Amino acid sequence: SYLIAAPELMAAAATNLASIERALSSAHAAAVSSITQVSAAAGDEVSAAIAALVSEQGQQYRALSAQAAAFHSEFVAALTTG
């Protein structure tokens, strides 16, 4: 079987993906500071441990999000350059 790629469809897909990237970047920017800098709700050890755990998860989210953004950018570039 043959694979046929229509350039106009690839360009439209790249445009759609770029708009998705903008929306995701905006949502990410709004969320990342609140999930990476969590204060303990109280002065006890449990509250401090939970705050540290949530902050660590936020840092992992930030790293994974950066990797996903890089992949997305490369994918869009591949669609636009052929």
Side-chain angles (χ1 to χ4, degrees):
S1 91
Y2 294 95
L3 175 65
I4 299 173
E8 64 277 359
L9 293 177
M10 299 300 262
T15 300
N16 288 340
L17 287 171
S19 69
I20 291 170
E21 179 180 20
R22 286 189 297 276
L24 287 174
S25 293
S26 176
H28 170 74
V32 75
S33 65
S34 65
I35 62 173
T36 57
Q37 300 172 358
V38 178
S39 298
D44 61 299
E45 293 176 15
V46 174
S47 294
I50 290 172
L53 177 66
V54 172
S55 293
E56 176 62 29
Q57 292 296 316
Q59 293 295 334
Q60 291 176 9
Y61 167 78
R62 178 184 279 177
L64 183 60
S65 179
Q67 290 175 349
F71 172 80
H72 184 84
S73 294
E74 290 176 19
F75 185 66
V76 171
L79 284 176
T80 57
T81 59

